[in-house]
Amino acid sequence: MSNSLFTKDHPRYKWVALSNTTLGILMATINSSIVIISLPAIFTGIKINPLDAANVSYLLWILMGYLLVTAVLVVTFGRLGDMFGRVRIYNLGFVVFTVGSIALALNPLSGGHGAMWLIIWRFVQGIGGAMLFSNSTAIITDAFPANRRGMALGINQVAAIAGSFIGLLIGGLLANLSWHVGTLDVEWVFLVSVPVGIVGTIWSYLSLHEVGTKSAGKMDWWGNALFAIGLASLLTAITYGIQPYGDSTEGWTNPWVLTGLIGGAVVLVGFVFVELAQKSPMFEMRLFKIRAFAMAMLAGLLSSIGRGGMQFMLIIWLQGIWLPLHGVAYDQTPLMAGFAMLPITIGFLISGPLSGTISDRVGPRLFATTGLLVVAATFVLLIVLPIDFTYWQFAVITFFNGIGSGMFAAPNRAAIMNSVPANMRGSASGMAGTVQNSGTSLSMGIFFSLLIAGLSTALPKALFSGLTGQGVAADVATKVSTLPPVSSVFAAFLGYNPMDTLLGKGGMNVLSTLPEHAQKTLVGNEFFPHLISGAFHDGLVVVFIAAAAMSVVAAIASLIRGKHYVHEVHAVEESIEAHEAAVEKVSR
C-alpha cells in the first residue's frame, strides 16, 4: 500500500477515516456493555460478593461509571476538537482508552481496594471513550460530501448501537477467562481491548489528517464546570436512586439523591443561561434555533432512553425467567442472553447503512419517522408476547426492533451533522453523543424504577407463599419476602441463582436445613421464574408502554423536523438569494 493512501487529498481517504472511526466507536460501545455479562467473574476475581448490600455501590459504579463519564465529558471534547483539531483529540482518545484497558486488565488489588481500582480506571476508559465519541462523527462529516454522509454515518451509527449488544456476547465468552501473574489478576474481558486500542492508536496517528474547519475561541471554563457539575449530579443521583434506602425498596427519598436531582437540574438551567451569554460557548445553544437540529436531538434522546430500557428489560426477562425455564443453568444465562438478542444486532446491520444511503437522496424524515413507529410497534408486541414465549416470535419482534432502530439512527445522526456549520461539527457531534449516552444512563434509572415499583406490590406475597409452600419457616420467608426486590433482580441480571443467593450461605443460610426435595425445587430452574413471572409482567407492561410512548413522541418530533436540510447548501442558497435581491435593487 502506498503512502498516498493516507494523504488527506487521496480519493480513498474518506474510507480510511470511516474505517478507523468506526473501529474506535465499536471499541468504545462494546466496553459500555461488556462488563454487564462479566460482573460475576470480575467480582469473583477480586473476592467480593456483588450482591452484598455493602457492595451494591461498587457494582453500580463499575456498571454506570463509564457511561456517566462519557456523557459528562463528550461535549467538552467536541468543543476542544473544534478549537484544536478533531483528529488530535480523537487520536488522544485512543491512547487514553488503551491505557485504561491495560490498567483494568492488570488489577493488583482485591476486595474493596480492587473494586475501587476498577472504578477509577473505568473512569479513565470513559475519558478516552468521550474523546472518541465526540469527534468520530465530526471527522466523518469532514471527510465525506453531503450527499454521501448518510451512508457513512449509517455505518458508524450501526457500529455504535450494535456495539452495546456485541459487548454482551464478548463479555459472556470471555467472562471466565483469566489467570494470575503474581499478585495480578489478569482479566481477558478488559485485556481484549488492548491490542485493538494499540492497533487503532497507531493506525489513527498514521492515517488521519485534519481536514475540517477549526473554530477559534477561548475555552468556556464556566460552561464546562456547570455542565459537568449539573449532569454528574443528576446521573449520580439516579445511580443511587435505584438502590434501597432505609425501609424503602428504592432511594428516591434519600436526601442526597433529592439534592442531586434538584440541584443538578437547577445547575443545568443556570448552564443554559450562561451559555447563551458566551461568545464561544461549549454547548452552542443557538443551534437549537435550527429546527432540523433541535427535532433530531429530541428524537435521539427519546430513542436512546427507550432503547436502553429495552436492553435492560430483555436481559432480565431472558436471564431471570425464559432461559432457566428452558433448561439453561443460571451461570450460563448471561452468555445465552447475548446470543438470544442477536436478531436486534442483525436488524441494525441490515437497515443502518441502507437507510443512511437512501436518506442521502430523499432526506432523513421518512426513514427516521417510520423507523421510530416500527420500534414503537415492537414494544407493543413485546407486551402481548407471553412470558414463556416461543423463541421465533421473540426473534422476529426484536429483529424488526433492530430494523426500526437502524432506520432511525443513521439518517437522524446525518441530519444533526448536516444541519450545523462546518466549524461547529465537533460541538454538534459532542452534543449528539451526550444525548445518546445520557439517554442510556437515564433509561437505567427510569425503567429500573418502574420495574421495581411493579415488583414491589406483587413479588413479596408470591415469595412468601412460594417459600412457605416448600417448608421454609414463616419468619425466614417473611424476611426474604420483605427484602428489596433489587436483590432478586440483580441476582438474575448477573447470572446468579436467586434462591441460592437469598437462602444459601451467602444469604439466610437456611437452604441446607430443608428436605432434599425442597432444596432441589427451590434452586431448580423453574421455581424462581414461575414465582416472579406474574410480577415481572406487570412491571414489563408499564416499562414497554412508556418506551412505546417515547418512541411515538420521538416520531412526531422527527416528522416535524422539516425538509432535508444541509447547512452548506442552505448557506449557498441564502447567499445567491441575497445576491439576486441586491442585483434587482440596483437595477431598479
Side-chain angles (χ1 to χ4, degrees), residues 338-564:
F339 281 113
M341 291 194 291
L342 271 177
I344 302 174
T345 304
I346 294 171
F348 284 142
L349 294 175
I350 292 173
S351 68
L354 184 62
S355 62
T357 300
I358 299 175
S359 70
D360 281 332
R361 295 195 294 270
V362 302
R365 182 164 58 178
L366 175 63
F367 274 91
T369 304
T370 304
L372 288 167
L373 293 175
V374 170
V375 169
T378 61
F379 286 139
V380 174
L381 291 173
L382 286 170
I383 292 172
V384 301
L385 191 68
I387 285 293
D388 188 14
F389 51 78
T390 303
Y391 180 72
W392 73 264
Q393 298 171 332
F394 176 86
V396 169
I397 294 171
T398 53
F399 171 77
F400 277 101
N401 185 282
I403 290 286
S405 295
M407 289 175 66
F408 166 76
N412 197 65
R413 182 58 67 93
I416 291 172
M417 299 307 298
N418 279 334
S419 66
V420 301
N423 64 343
M424 293 184 182
R425 285 172 182 163
S427 294
S429 177
M431 291 162 75
T434 292
V435 163
Q436 182 172 318
N437 292 326
S438 298
T440 302
S441 300
L442 286 170
S443 70
M444 176 70 83
I446 294 169
F447 292 113
F448 188 86
S449 297
L450 291 173
L451 174 63
I452 294 301
L455 291 177
S456 297
T457 57
L459 186 59
K461 184 178 179 180
L463 265 174
F464 181 83
S465 60
L467 292 174
T468 53
Q470 294 300 320
V472 176
D475 60 332
V476 174
T478 299
K479 289 181 181 178
V480 173
S481 63
T482 54
L483 288 172
V486 66
S487 302
S488 301
V489 171
F490 271 137
F493 189 65
L494 296 173
Y496 291 97
N497 187 314
M499 287 296 99
D500 191 30
T501 301
L502 293 173
L503 300 175
K505 292 182 179 180
M508 296 292 179
N509 197 22
V510 297
L511 197 59
S512 59
T513 65
L514 299 174
E516 186 176 349
H517 75 276
Q519 293 183 43
K520 289 182 179 179
T521 299
L522 288 169
V523 300
N525 277 26
E526 295 189 6
F527 180 80
F528 181 76
H530 283 309
L531 194 71
I532 197 177
S533 59
F536 176 80
H537 189 264
D538 292 342
L540 182 145
V541 169
V542 175
V543 167
F544 282 147
I545 286 176
M550 288 182 187
S551 297
V552 171
V553 174
I556 295 171
S558 179
L559 182 65
I560 63 175
R561 73 174 73 215
K563 296 180 179 179
H564 190 28

Side-chain angles (χ1 to χ4, degrees), residues 78-366:
R79 176 62 182 147
L80 288 173
D82 281 341
M83 293 171 61
F84 302 109
R86 292 147 197 163
V87 169
R88 179 179 296 178
I89 302 298
Y90 177 85
N91 289 348
L92 183 60
F94 253 125
V95 174
V96 173
F97 193 97
T98 305
V99 169
S101 299
I102 293 171
L104 283 164
L106 306 176
N107 188 352
L109 306 172
S110 62
H113 296 296
M116 287 304 301
W117 174 280
L118 294 176
I119 291 168
I120 290 169
W121 286 105
R122 280 288 281 176
F123 283 171
V124 173
Q125 246 192 352
I127 294 170
M131 293 178 174
L132 296 172
F133 273 119
S134 60
N135 289 283
S136 62
T137 52
I139 290 171
I140 292 172
T141 306
D142 288 338
F144 279 81
N147 65 344
R148 301 297 301 277
R149 285 176 193 154
M151 176 276 301
L153 290 171
I155 294 172
N156 190 261
Q157 282 301 290
V158 164
I161 297 173
S164 61
F165 291 98
I166 294 171
L168 300 176
L169 277 177
I170 296 176
L173 291 169
L174 300 179
N176 296 311
L177 296 180
S178 64
W179 75 92
H180 298 280
V181 181
T183 60
L184 294 177
D185 179 44
V186 184
E187 292 286 351
W188 263 100
V189 73
F190 295 123
L191 193 64
V192 70
S193 296
V194 175
V196 178
I198 292 173
V199 170
T201 300
I202 295 171
W203 185 19
S204 64
Y205 272 99
L206 288 176
S207 65
L208 296 181
H209 303 280
E210 299 289 358
V211 298
T213 303
K214 293 183 182 180
S215 176
K218 296 180 180 179
M219 189 63 180
D220 177 16
W221 295 111
W222 274 109
N224 277 272
L226 289 173
F227 184 76
I229 293 170
L231 189 59
S233 298
L234 205 60
L235 296 181
T236 301
I238 289 171
T239 301
Y240 282 99
I242 62 179
Q243 299 182 45
Y245 174 70
D247 295 330
S248 177
T249 57
E250 296 177 279
W252 300 113
T253 58
N254 184 333
W256 288 108
V257 171
L258 291 172
T259 300
L261 291 173
I262 297 170
V266 170
V267 170
L268 287 176
V269 170
F271 162 77
V272 171
F273 288 101
V274 168
E275 292 301 274
L276 288 172
Q278 292 283 344
K279 291 183 178 179
S280 300
M282 175 196 78
F283 206 103
E284 185 51 82
M285 305 301 298
R286 297 171 187 85
L287 289 176
F288 287 98
K289 293 181 179 179
I290 304 171
R291 184 171 60 171
F293 178 85
M295 292 300 101
M297 292 287 279
L298 175 59
L301 175 63
L302 294 173
S303 172
S304 180
I305 294 173
R307 184 172 57 250
M310 181 199 67
Q311 178 177 324
F312 175 69
M313 291 300 295
L314 292 187
I315 290 173
I316 295 176
W317 190 352
L318 290 166
Q319 295 181 198
I321 299 175
W322 192 82
L323 287 168
L325 285 177
H326 289 258
V328 178
Y330 276 98
D331 60 354
Q332 294 298 311
T333 57
L335 174 59
M336 297 308 296
F339 281 113
M341 291 194 291
L342 271 177
I344 302 174
T345 304
I346 294 171
F348 284 142
L349 294 175
I350 292 173
S351 68
L354 184 62
S355 62
T357 300
I358 299 175
S359 70
D360 281 332
R361 295 195 294 270
V362 302
R365 182 164 58 178
L366 175 63

